[in-house]
């Protein structure tokens, strides 16, 4: 019976680059604040003159009103600071444009280029395969690799000598020992950085295929001319 041990990595072509940010939190808090003001105003306007709102309870509500207001202002300030820091980081990383970064990411194949794969197979494996997947997550090619962390140049050519279509592909490394699957994880690749762009509070690197890879996930950088 085959034992599969799959890593937590998801297909880089299917990863959502949208992340929850302080913007959403602030927006929700502002909405709650406005609702609270309307409710408090309506309560004060429509109270029974013969049985007015208890002063202690009213004071407690005003205190809550003040706390919500201060929290909204604080979150707005933090959001502004985060945005400024993000822009500063993006400016600092603008020098990465034109460089090749290494991360778990989809690789763009134009029909003639090669893509450098950085496999990291399980040390106990006796066989390793590079599983190439298209943008739908379907396997389109399987290549036998040595049990080594040495970089591998994928040329996009199948066993019959035909080139795959120009598109983005992801690369999973499958490590086996006999019939047992020891490890399945998406490999890091080198990709060209075409642009840097803000992704919430993070800096995103735009690949040749248009995918976004967070700068924080990059493990290496190199000059393609060297």
């Amino acid at each position: 019976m085959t034992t599969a041990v799959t890593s937590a990595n998801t297909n880089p072509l299917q990863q959502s680059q949208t992340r929850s940010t302080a913007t959403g939190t602030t927006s929700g808090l502002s909405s709650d604040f406005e609702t609270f003001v309307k409710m408090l105003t309506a309560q004060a306007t429509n109270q029974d003159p013969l049985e007015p709102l208890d002063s202690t309870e009213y004071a407690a509500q005003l205190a809550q009103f003040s706390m919500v207001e201060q929290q909204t202002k604080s979150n707005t300030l933090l959001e502004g600071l985060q945005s400024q820091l993000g822009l500063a980081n993006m400016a600092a990383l603008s020098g990465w444009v034109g460089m090749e970064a290494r991360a778990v990411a989809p690789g763009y194949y134009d029909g003639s280029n090669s893509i450098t794969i950085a496999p990291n197979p399980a040390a106990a494996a006796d066989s390793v395969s590079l599983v190439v997947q298209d943008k739908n997550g379907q396997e389109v090619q399987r290549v036998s690799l040595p049990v080594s962390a040495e970089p591998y140049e994928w040329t996009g050519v199948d066993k019959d000598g035909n080139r795959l279509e120009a598109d983005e592909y992801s690369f999973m490394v499958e490590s086996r020992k006999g019939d047992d699957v020891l490890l399945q994880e998406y490999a890091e690749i080198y990709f060209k950085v075409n642009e840097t762009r803000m992704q919430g509070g993070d800096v995103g690197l735009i690949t040749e295929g248009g995918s976004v890879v967070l700068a924080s996930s990059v493990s290496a950088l190199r000059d393609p001319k060297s």
Side-chain angles (χ1 to χ4, degrees):
M1 181 176 179
T2 302
T3 303
V5 180
T6 307
S7 76
N9 289 344
T10 55
N11 189 327
L13 285 169
Q14 298 173 339
Q15 286 177 345
S16 169
Q17 298 301 332
T18 324
R19 296 245 189 326
S20 303
T21 65
T23 303
T25 303
T26 303
S27 176
L29 189 57
S30 297
S31 177
D32 291 343
F33 175 68
E34 292 174 4
T35 301
F36 181 81
V37 172
K38 290 178 181 179
M39 291 176 62
L40 189 61
T41 303
Q43 185 180 34
T45 303
N46 300 311
Q47 65 178 321
D48 187 349
L50 299 178
E51 294 183 7
L53 185 67
D54 181 73
S55 59
T56 303
E57 182 180 352
Y58 195 71
Q61 292 187 3
L62 286 176
Q64 185 179 0
F65 173 90
S66 178
M67 289 175 60
V68 174
E69 182 183 27
Q70 290 301 318
Q71 189 173 355
T72 301
K73 290 180 178 179
S74 296
N75 281 3
T76 301
L77 177 61
L78 289 173
E79 182 183 341
L81 290 173
Q82 183 184 38
S83 177
Q84 291 179 13
L85 288 173
L87 289 173
N89 288 336
M90 185 175 67
L93 296 179
S94 62
W96 287 18
V97 175
M99 301 287 282
E100 288 186 342
R102 191 178 79 185
V104 175
Y108 179 70
Y109 177 65
D110 65 10
S112 61
N113 65 311
S114 64
I115 297 174
T116 304
I117 315 294
N120 188 26
D126 54 29
S127 66
V128 178
S129 297
L130 177 68
V131 181
V132 184
Q133 299 175 344
D134 63 16
K135 58 186 176 184
N136 297 316
Q138 299 298 313
E139 181 178 327
V140 295
Q141 187 181 27
R142 184 175 287 259
V143 182
S144 179
L145 297 181
V147 184
S148 168
E150 288 296 315
Y152 173 78
E153 291 294 324
W154 181 75
T155 59
V157 178
D158 64 20
K159 61 182 180 181
D160 298 321
N162 301 313
R163 291 188 175 275
L164 298 179
E165 295 181 0
D167 207 341
E168 281 192 317
Y169 295 91
S170 56
F171 306 89
M172 176 180 283
V173 175
E174 183 180 276
S175 303
R176 287 178 173 270
K177 187 175 183 62
D179 294 331
D180 294 337
V181 177
L182 300 180
L183 181 66
Q184 287 179 324
E185 64 177 3
Y186 284 96
E188 291 187 333
I189 70 162
Y190 279 96
F191 62 90
K192 183 180 178 182
V193 179
N194 275 10
E195 180 187 349
T196 58
R197 184 185 302 169
M198 289 303 301
Q199 293 293 119
D202 296 316
V203 178
L205 309 178
I206 313 303
T207 71
E208 289 181 287
S211 291
V212 184
V213 180
L214 294 182
S216 57
S217 67
V218 172
S219 62
L221 196 67
R222 71 182 186 183
D223 186 342
K225 299 177 183 178
S226 62

